Amino acid sequence: MHQHEYIGRKMRLPKLKEKPAIVIAAFGSTSRAKAALDIFKANLAQGFPDHETFWAYTSEIIRKKMGLPSLQETLAKVEAMGFRKVVVQPLHIFPGTEYHQMAETCEYFPGLRVLLSETLLHRWGFIKETLGVVEAEFLSPAEGLNLLALHGTPLSADPVNIVYLGMERLVADRYPNVLAVSIEGVPDPEAVLAHIKRQDMVSQYKKVKIIPMMYIAGLHAEEDLMGDEDSWRTALEGMGFIVECPMVKYDGKDYYKGLAYYPELINFFMERLKRSLSLTNYY
């Protein structure tokens, strides 16, 4: 093939984009999650109107059910559109297994400079800032006991366990009536419930408030936390507690209040994204 023919074909390719693309990586989008993601999308459009934004989903089950793209598919699309820089902003709370899987995926595209941004609780300072927002939900010591419901991981060797255990200690030291508990892994829910029973906390606190520390408090809140069978609620009620979970109304419907419904925490995600976009000027 003559070299000028090759160059001519190359010149007809789409012009490369100057601004980085934004890819939002969420766990998944079901009918339950749509309201929370709509709030984030509105904030994203207002905060970054000059950037093209795309979405990717990390749950294989939800992707197959809803026909949604994976991070790999979204990055391939972005590359084909002429982008050479991308910021991937996860809507994950902790930098656990899924976050490290995203990091590996981002390395599959040598033609892209992909910067993976930080999760909500990526740094100890971020954890303190987030607790400062969520503590507005806490019952006072005179009112009752609070349980921060973390997602957790079943993998004992996952490095994120140090964050879960560190947060357990941090919360216990900062608040007299707050315990951190994971749905999976550590801090172990059965162990914490046994501690509550052994310490006879029902004689001190008549009420327990379960506060989901998840972006979207969907099935975990409905089944594991507040379900009618084998849930934290039924176990605590069996000890004699009155149990509640914060709710929020959006578009005429009631939802368990995940972190997606705190405006300040959405702003924290926007700050993560803004910082990462600024770093693309240097890489």
Side-chain angles (χ1 to χ4, degrees):
M1 180 182 293
H2 193 275
Q3 59 175 340
H4 295 301
E5 292 178 358
Y6 173 76
I7 292 174
R9 288 193 301 111
K10 290 288 287 184
M11 292 177 64
R12 289 194 292 271
L13 290 174
K15 184 179 179 181
L16 297 182
K17 310 275 188 175
E18 293 184 6
K19 288 184 178 292
I22 294 174
V23 174
I24 305 299
F27 176 78
S29 176
T30 63
S31 58
R32 187 184 297 100
K34 185 177 184 301
L37 296 184
D38 284 346
I39 295 173
F40 188 88
K41 289 176 181 177
N43 281 267
L44 183 66
Q46 182 177 2
F48 302 91
D50 297 330
H51 290 269
E52 293 188 57
T53 60
F54 304 83
W55 285 73
Y57 302 88
T58 58
S59 169
E60 184 177 357
I61 294 175
I62 292 180
R63 288 201 306 267
K64 289 181 178 179
K65 182 179 179 180
M66 307 295 291
L68 298 170
S70 66
L71 178 58
Q72 188 170 357
E73 290 171 326
T74 300
L75 289 176
K77 176 182 178 181
V78 166
E79 185 176 30
M81 291 178 64
F83 288 95
R84 288 299 174 263
K85 290 186 178 183
V86 184
V87 170
V88 176
Q89 176 60 59
L91 294 187
H92 294 62
I93 308 305
F94 292 91
T97 301
E98 284 193 6
Y99 183 82
H100 294 291
Q101 290 173 339
M102 283 189 278
E104 291 176 358
T105 300
C106 290
E107 295 177 356
Y108 292 161
F109 294 84
L112 287 175
R113 295 181 185 178
V114 185
L115 197 157
L116 179 59
S117 193
E118 296 180 325
T119 61
L120 182 66
L121 303 183
H122 217 89
R123 305 178 184 221
W124 292 112
F126 295 167
I127 292 176
K128 292 177 182 178
E129 289 176 345
T130 299
L131 288 174
V133 173
V134 177
E135 68 182 13
E137 292 287 350
F138 293 173
L139 298 173
S140 69
E143 294 173 309
L145 177 68
N146 303 278
L147 295 183
L148 292 186
L150 317 179
H151 190 285
T153 174
L155 303 175
S156 62
D158 194 321
V160 78
N161 281 312
I162 192 64
V163 184
Y164 286 121
L165 292 173
M167 189 168 179
E168 177 189 35
R169 177 62 184 268
L170 180 65
V171 166
D173 288 345
R174 287 170 67 98
Y175 307 100
N177 64 326
V178 182
L179 298 173
V181 195
S182 290
I183 292 174
E184 298 181 283
V186 292
D188 179 71
E190 293 181 2
V192 173
L193 290 172
H195 172 76
I196 291 171
K197 186 174 183 179
R198 188 168 56 250
Q199 297 296 319
D200 191 27
M201 290 187 180
V202 70
S203 64
Q204 181 180 2
Y205 306 112
K206 299 301 181 183
K207 184 183 292 186
V208 174
K209 192 171 190 179
I210 301 174
I211 301 171
M213 293 291 289
M214 291 160 276
Y215 191 74
I216 298 168
L219 282 177
H220 280 310
E222 294 171 8
E223 297 180 359
D224 300 300
L225 305 183
M226 298 296 290
D228 294 330
E229 296 182 4
D230 298 323
S231 67
W232 294 11
R233 177 178 67 82
T234 57
L236 290 163
E237 287 178 344
M239 298 181 201
F241 290 102
I242 298 170
V243 182
E244 64 181 45
C245 183
M247 303 290 294
V248 63
K249 187 179 289 291
Y250 179 79
D251 199 22
K253 296 182 180 180
D254 293 320
Y255 299 92
Y256 286 111
K257 190 176 182 180
L259 301 183
Y261 293 102
Y262 294 82
E264 301 93 335
L265 302 189
I266 294 178
N267 287 337
F268 289 167
F269 276 113
M270 297 298 166
E271 289 174 6
R272 310 279 185 276
L273 177 55
K274 183 178 180 180
R275 177 179 181 274
S276 295
L277 284 170
S278 69
L279 290 176
T280 62
N281 294 322
Y282 306 99
Y283 297 97

